[in-house]
Amino acid sequence: MPYITAADGAQIFYKDYGSGQPIIFSHGWPLCSDAWDLELKLAAQAGYRAIAHDRRGHGRSTQTWDGNDMDTYAADVSTLVDELGLDDIIVVGHSTGGGEAVRFAAQHGRGRVSKVATAGAIPPVMLKSEANPEGTPIEAFDEIRAGVLHDRSQFYKDLSAPFFGANREGSTISQGQRDDFWRQSMLAGLHQAYECVAVFSETDFTEDLKAIDVPMFIAHGEDDQIVPVDDAARKAVDLVKNATLKVYPGAPHGIAGAYQEELDRDLFAFFRS
């Protein structure tokens, strides 16, 4: 299986399909590159080089004790780009992966990244504070940490409901989709998943968003119960020089079903534009 070696020796697993302009897909917490499998296939079939990696601590990558922070995550993407010799890159990220894509583009992507797209992404910052009074209280993230520590298997099973909106009347999310969320989540190391909670909740991407000088497409589900749209996408779009926001009525945080179909159409229209 293909791996690249990060600066600290961590082995980062990646998938690399097709040829053409490269698209790098970054996954959400606590998943892995499998979350983007459909989009990888569609992109490779459409004439792009489709790449997705397992973030360190997740999936098949090394479960490092250190380096579980956003700067290191973005540096790992930069190493992947260097190793594969990529340029004219489109970066796409969901949830925590949206933060990773934004930080990589802002801090490592100048002259290499041509477009950025996010879905249900965490920027600008999730945590409630004096500077961000509309954010999510730290108690909510403490509950996530407690769930990961005490019974992560059941916690992930339960989390799959609000993640995909399966707790909403009329949901068509299958048990199989929820089971796959659990499967991917259980691949993440306990320590690494725990540490990443602070990363996705406390990292401030305000300056990264301001630094992005390429076109950006920001997608978000209106009924996102994990990363509320008003605290994320609707703030992020005002910080980027050339960004377009699309909010999907009734759509959840997780990318599946009718939301996935519509989002993929919009993503590929953005790629081609």
Side-chain angles (χ1 to χ4, degrees):
M1 293 191 295
Y3 288 85
I4 58 99
T5 302
D8 63 353
Q11 297 291 295
I12 307 298
F13 171 84
Y14 69 96
K15 304 178 183 184
D16 185 358
Y17 303 144
S19 60
Q21 183 180 15
I23 306 174
I24 298 177
F25 294 88
S26 290
H27 63 81
W29 176 93
L31 305 176
C32 66
S33 57
D34 295 359
W36 285 115
D37 272 353
L38 175 58
E39 288 71 26
L40 290 169
K41 177 175 173 57
L42 294 175
Q45 288 178 168
Y48 296 95
R49 184 176 179 182
I51 300 163
H53 65 291
D54 292 354
R55 187 173 303 115
R56 64 169 58 216
H58 300 65
R60 289 137 291 202
S61 293
T62 304
Q63 295 182 6
T64 55
W65 184 259
D66 297 314
N68 302 293
D69 59 82
M70 189 54 69
D71 285 341
T72 304
Y73 297 162
D76 289 345
V77 178
S78 184
T79 300
L80 176 66
V81 167
D82 290 341
E83 288 289 322
L84 298 183
L86 306 178
D87 57 19
D88 191 24
I89 307 160
I90 301 170
V91 290
V92 182
H94 172 242
S95 194
T96 301
E100 182 179 86
V102 164
R103 178 142 299 181
F104 166 73
Q107 299 192 7
H108 303 276
R110 189 169 297 276
R112 300 197 288 182
V113 170
S114 60
K115 292 179 182 177
V116 179
T118 61
I122 57 176
V125 61
M126 289 191 70
L127 184 65
K128 181 178 181 178
S129 65
E130 289 186 7
N132 185 40
E134 303 85 12
T136 303
I138 195 168
E139 289 79 10
F141 301 113
D142 288 340
E143 289 180 7
I144 295 173
R145 279 183 274 260
V148 170
L149 278 182
H150 298 302
D151 187 352
R152 61 177 173 154
S153 180
Q154 188 60 51
F155 174 74
Y156 293 145
K157 286 179 180 288
D158 294 340
L159 181 61
S160 69
F163 188 91
F164 287 116
N167 56 346
R168 299 303 202 209
E169 185 176 355
S171 171
T172 59
I173 295 298
S174 69
Q175 187 61 48
Q177 288 171 312
R178 295 183 62 179
D179 290 347
D180 193 49
F181 175 90
W182 173 87
R183 177 191 67 84
Q184 291 185 48
S185 299
M186 289 300 292
L187 292 174
L190 186 150
H191 168 73
Q192 295 75 24
Y194 181 95
E195 293 295 299
C196 193
V197 176
V199 179
F200 70 66
S201 62
E202 299 178 25
T203 304
D204 190 336
F205 298 93
T206 300
E207 296 306 315
D208 300 296
L209 291 166
K210 291 178 179 178
I212 292 176
D213 58 0
V214 297
M216 183 170 178
F217 176 65
I218 301 173
H220 216 106
E222 183 184 43
D223 191 32
D224 190 323
Q225 300 172 67
I226 309 299
V227 182
V229 61
D230 288 342
D231 300 337
R234 287 197 169 109
K235 291 184 177 180
V237 68
D238 291 334
L239 296 170
V240 182
K241 299 179 182 70
N242 182 14
T244 301
L245 169 64
K246 181 169 181 179
V247 177
Y248 295 75
H253 184 66
I255 301 171
Y259 171 40
Q260 185 170 31
E261 293 175 7
E262 186 176 1
L263 175 62
D264 285 345
R265 287 194 295 269
D266 292 338
L267 284 175
F268 280 88
F270 175 67
F271 299 159
R272 292 188 297 266
S273 65

